[in-house]
Amino acid sequence: KMVDPTLAEMGKNLNEAMKMLEDNQRKVEEENEKKYARKDIPGPLQGSGQDMVSILQLVQNLMHGEEEEETSQSYRLQNVGEQGHMALLGHSLAAYISVLDKERLRKLTTRILSDTTLWLCRLFRYENGSAYYHEDDREGLLKICRLVIHTRYEDYTLEGFNVLYTKQPVIYISSAARTGLGQALCNQLGLPLSCMCRVPCNTMFGSQHQMDVALLDRVIKDDVESGKLPLLLVANAGTPGAGHTDKLGRLKELCEQYKMWLHVEGVNLATLALGYVSSSVLAATKCDSMTLTLGSWLGLPAVPAVTLYRHEDPSLSLAAGLTSSQPVEKLRALPLWLSLQYLGHDGIVERIKHASQLSQRLLENLKNLDFIKTSVEDELSSPVVVFKFFQEYSNRDQTLHAAQASTIQHPIISNERHIYDTFNQWLGEQLAQMVPASGVDVVELEDEGTCVRFSPLMTSAVLGTEIQDIDQLVDCLKMKIPVLTSTLQMREEFEQEVRRTVGLLYIEDLGWPGLGVVRYNYHCDGKNDDKQEKELEKINTELLKKLNELESDLTFSLGPEFGGQKNCVYIGMVAEDLDVSELVETIAATGREIEENSRLLENMTEVVRKGIQEAQLQLQKANEERLLEEGLLRQIPVVGSVLNWFSPFQASPKGRTFNLTAGSLESTESMYVSKAQGTGTTPPPTPTSSLAKQRLPGQKAFKRSLRSSDGFSETSSISHCDDLDKMDQRPPTLSPGQEQGPLEMEKAKEQEVAQAKTDTEDIHSDKSPPDCTKVEDQASQR
């Protein structure tokens, strides 16, 4: 116990002071921490974290942001049904199951992997197979290549690329395979591109998209003789472009002959789950491996692709990466394990069968359409439909198109194919925009060119395509065919009209889907190239604006955003009732009008500039004359005022006015005398187009009108009567010195009205256009 009260008070005060200092220091540290957090830590990570609702709201905003309104027409969410929810649940369960203890995790993953593999092998008729589940659909083929390398090169595990150097491996793929597949395999395997051999498709016999087996046999023999090792062949059961299937039976025999591995991939493999399978696709069950993409076939989001294969050595499969000792990697099959159980056998078959029925429905409708050419391998069971717009050539063009078989292709044929490619590109884009649920897209084929493809096995389950969507697609196609045919027929006529019209330049752009491209030529008067280019741009821009202001069904634009010609007017698709000559004449007349107005404005600017300079000189001369007349004393401020008061000086006003019409300075003396400003010379009329044809009410521009003679007579009669009514409203003409009283004027008025009615009745009784000369004579007599 402290005896001295002074010391006790000092200790108490010291304790309080230390607390205050410590509190201040703590506050400073907390503020520094807050400043550090606000400055260096991103906003969502500040504080103690965000709640679940806020995080999900952020995800929703990112998925359906402000861009949704702008892209609502082309943006479409995947149709995620209950089977899709099961697949999404599988990913969450896989993460949850991974935290189990090792023994339970091993048993569970083994059960899931074995069940899924057994179900897939039974569904797709691939007995005694193993499965590899992978995210990238090319990864399965990559691991198969590693397996074959380990199998064919016994010392590959020890010596690596040295064994490949002594005997170079060769991988054969079809020229119709998906783009970049061979290069991706070589990059991942560390092989040169010379190890990849692209086998051409049939060019003389059979399908244009099937691998040429006879040529492949010769190529393999040449490679064996040169010391290379044929390693693997990648065949297609449904090419990426046209959905055609290779001759898998003959390819399997060829692979057995040269001890090659046969791998098959393609969308037609989905039909192996159906009750009836074509023999060409059924041969895929004898191959060494195949890749299945169940996600797109069944509409399952984020499920892995599956590669089924047959191999007897598990150690080589492990070395190639086809199997893994990590239980977590085996959980990739969990989403498929859940989804397959949810769908069942009937649900799986129903989805694949529905896609095949959609293809058959579209194919049946396309057969009845003119100007539509299909490229289908097997019309009875093809799940892919490829079609294009094509117009048969006339007899006079047969000789030109016969040259297509020659080595040097005729330029006319090349241009026509380019035009057809452009038109089919436009057609595919229009159909995809008008019927987004159909899932049609544009594909480039080597022989057919640009085509429209409908592959429901890849899109119908995702987009929810139904039969009514196919019917709507056919209706839209029927609407577009007349536009395509009329535009194709009028392109040549438009080109000829433009080439024979003075002032217009035809621009050949084979990549433009429309009537054509035209440019108004600016007549330069010794101007440099830069100024001429600016004037050309100005005139054609104004021309485009004027054409868009006309009431017509045509679309005028500046062309595509990239790759188009500058300072041109691009005309889009047209209907069959287009008057091409009127269109070309209107373009030329409007261009001349814009050019003349531009030159008139330019000349007027120069005249005004010279007039201002002349006015300045005359004003300066007038000031000097006024100084001489008034004298020097009148210019002094005080003296001049007194002198003007005693002896006022009368000076006539001398002004100048600038006449824009005449382009000259004139005196204002007559203006002061008459107290009014003269009108001067009548300005020249503004140049206008004399080609504006008279159109019926409601008729749009550039339309061919079929008017009968009776209709024309009635129209002329009505307009003629209107002219007579206007003449009746004018006062009668009097001779010099002649006067009329009210009674005489009334009689003259009645006579003119009676005469007008008699003329009108005569016109209607004849039902023929009135004689304009006669009408003018009668008016002059009145």
Side-chain angles (χ1 to χ4, degrees), residues 61-102:
N61 294 337
L62 294 175
M63 293 174 59
H64 313 281
E66 299 177 354
E67 300 179 355
E68 184 179 2
E69 298 180 358
E70 301 177 358
T71 60
S72 58
Q73 297 181 354
S74 59
Y75 178 71
R76 184 182 177 93
L77 276 177
Q78 178 175 334
N79 183 23
V80 181
E82 293 185 2
Q83 75 277 4
H85 294 165
M86 295 299 295
L88 298 177
L89 178 62
H91 291 279
S92 301
L93 286 177
Y96 178 72
I97 293 174
S98 63
V99 301
L100 296 177
D101 59 90
K102 293 183 179 181

Side-chain angles (χ1 to χ4, degrees), residues 274-570:
L274 300 179
Y276 169 77
V277 186
S278 62
S279 58
S280 59
V281 179
L282 188 61
T285 58
K286 304 299 181 181
C287 65
D288 298 301
S289 61
M290 66 170 64
T291 297
L292 311 175
T293 55
L294 298 169
S296 57
W297 299 348
L298 305 178
L300 304 176
V303 297
V306 184
T307 296
L308 302 178
Y309 65 97
R310 297 188 184 97
H311 200 266
E312 299 177 355
D313 193 344
S315 61
L316 295 181
S317 300
L318 180 63
L322 288 169
T323 57
S324 176
S325 59
Q326 299 295 327
V328 177
E329 294 187 7
K330 298 179 181 179
L331 289 174
R332 292 179 182 175
L334 182 58
L336 267 178
W337 186 74
L338 295 174
S339 301
L340 293 177
Q341 291 184 81
Y342 181 84
L343 290 173
H345 177 266
D346 295 341
I348 296 171
V349 173
E350 180 63 27
R351 278 161 176 76
I352 299 176
K353 186 177 180 180
H354 175 68
S356 301
Q357 291 175 349
L358 294 177
S359 297
Q360 295 302 313
R361 180 63 172 262
L362 178 60
L363 186 59
E364 291 174 0
N365 286 277
L366 293 179
K367 290 179 179 179
N368 301 325
L369 296 180
D370 297 330
F371 308 111
I372 295 297
K373 179 182 178 182
T374 58
S375 176
V376 181
E377 175 190 11
D378 187 1
E379 296 186 357
L380 298 177
S381 60
S382 176
V384 181
V385 178
V386 177
F387 61 94
K388 63 179 295 186
F389 166 74
F390 183 79
Q391 191 171 7
E392 295 294 339
Y393 304 113
S394 59
N395 294 330
R396 62 184 178 86
D397 295 333
Q398 292 295 335
T399 56
L400 292 178
H401 291 276
Q404 188 172 5
S406 61
T407 56
I408 302 178
Q409 193 175 19
H410 199 279
I412 297 180
I413 301 175
S414 177
N415 292 346
E416 287 184 350
R417 172 164 180 174
H418 201 160
I419 292 174
Y420 276 114
D421 291 346
T422 302
F423 276 39
N424 283 283
Q425 177 78 25
W426 178 84
L427 177 62
E429 294 175 354
Q430 290 291 314
L431 294 178
Q433 183 178 0
M434 298 173 69
V435 193
S438 64
V440 295
D441 60 348
V442 180
V443 61
E444 297 285 343
L445 301 180
E446 184 176 358
D447 296 313
E448 285 83 358
T450 303
C451 300
V452 183
R453 177 180 59 185
F454 176 64
S455 181
L457 276 173
M458 301 299 294
T459 59
S460 63
V462 174
L463 299 177
T465 310
E466 299 295 339
I467 295 294
Q468 54 268 24
D469 297 323
I470 304 303
D471 297 338
Q472 183 182 359
L473 180 67
V474 175
D475 294 338
C476 294
L477 184 59
K478 292 179 180 178
M479 293 169 50
K480 297 299 180 182
I481 289 177
V483 178
L484 290 169
T485 54
S486 59
T487 305
L488 185 63
Q489 293 172 358
M490 294 182 183
R491 281 178 68 100
E492 184 177 356
E493 180 183 357
F494 176 75
E495 180 181 354
Q496 294 176 358
E497 288 288 341
V498 172
R499 293 189 184 278
R500 70 167 64 106
T501 303
V502 179
L504 295 183
L505 178 64
Y506 180 79
I507 305 298
E508 186 175 10
D509 190 350
L510 302 178
W512 172 249
L515 184 62
V517 187
V518 64
R519 174 188 295 162
Y520 182 80
N521 270 341
Y522 175 69
H523 303 289
C524 60
D525 299 330
K527 300 181 180 179
N528 54 22
D529 294 339
D530 294 339
K531 189 171 184 180
Q532 180 183 354
E533 187 72 19
K534 291 181 180 179
E535 291 291 342
L536 182 65
E537 180 180 0
K538 181 180 178 181
I539 291 177
N540 284 276
T541 302
E542 185 67 21
L543 175 61
L544 177 63
K545 181 180 178 181
K546 292 287 186 182
L547 292 175
N548 283 323
E549 291 176 356
L550 299 176
E551 294 182 0
S552 66
D553 294 332
L554 301 183
T555 56
F556 303 94
S557 64
L558 293 174
E561 184 178 359
F562 303 102
Q565 296 285 340
K566 293 182 179 180
N567 305 327
C568 296
V569 177
Y570 284 75

